Amino acid sequence: MATLPNPLPKLATDPSGRSLGLQLPPGRLIDATLCGPWHEPLLWHAGQPAGPGTWTALGAQAGRAGLLPVLVDVSELDEWDLAPGETTYPGDHDAEDVLEDAWEEDPPEGEEWPGPAPATALVADPDVRAAEVADALSQGRPWLKEPHLALVPARRSADIPAAIGWSGPVNHEEDVARLCAVLRSWEDRFGIRVVALGLDHLAVSVAAPPTDVDTAEAIAAEHFAFCPYTVLPGTDDTLSSYAEQLVGERFWHFWWD
């Protein structure tokens, strides 16, 4: 996968990050993958739990150093099967093709792929919204038990899962870069940022949420193709009932079985 130069190796000899213009708390570099140690660190995460203000305090300065913030659940981090060597580049994939392919594998009620949802208007700055959502998630969720701030060398927030070879969706999509292509499209159309990763969970902030049910239903179709387990977890669930939950929603949460 094509990536920017990785500044993380400098933290091995300079844990504070001063040479990168950072002031980092004690933390840990991660290079463990499914196939053994990677040739360079894939991410750094703080040793202390994230709290309100952590994202803003470290995220902006890290961005200038070529690192992007994301919350990671350290309670299960040692169980992650990272596979960067098996991950392609998100820019090599077309988001609509990825969604249409996934939809057609198991369309709900046999419906045809409706096509991509229209872009919606920003109601917040995407990076400000990301910080707000990260602050809320730093309080923890059942699916995000021990959130710590991590820094990842990535070109854009949507590329973070591919940059580390995250395998959370492996039972749905073996190459997470294809899903990152969708996340790139959502960045452009809905102002999303990847804010949290667990073993098989992903959360994104949304700065341009749908304001009406019709648009929300179009987005719900994309969510189903992206992660059907989240959209229709039970036999009584429908795309319409899921779509109602998306109107005005500040973050989207996905999980894969």
Side-chain angles (χ1 to χ4, degrees), residues 173-194:
E173 172 56 64
E174 293 184 356
D175 184 0
V176 74
R178 286 170 52 82
L179 296 186
C180 288
V182 176
L183 293 174
R184 282 183 169 204
S185 179
W186 290 353
E187 271 191 345
D188 296 338
R189 287 182 288 146
F190 311 122
I192 70 102
R193 297 289 187 268
V194 174

Side-chain angles (χ1 to χ4, degrees), residues 4 13 48 113 124 156 178 181 200 255:
L4 295 171
T13 55
Q48 61 194 30
W113 167 240
R156 50 195 291 181
R178 286 170 52 82
D200 51 11
W255 67 274

Side-chain angles (χ1 to χ4, degrees), residues 1-2 88-94 177 181 184:
M1 173 179 150
T88 60
Y89 179 56
D92 291 339
H93 306 284
D94 180 81
R184 282 183 169 204

Side-chain angles (χ1 to χ4, degrees), residues 85-104:
E86 301 174 17
T87 305
T88 60
Y89 179 56
D92 291 339
H93 306 284
D94 180 81
E96 185 175 353
D97 289 346
V98 171
L99 291 171
E100 185 173 5
D101 289 347
W103 175 280
E104 290 181 348

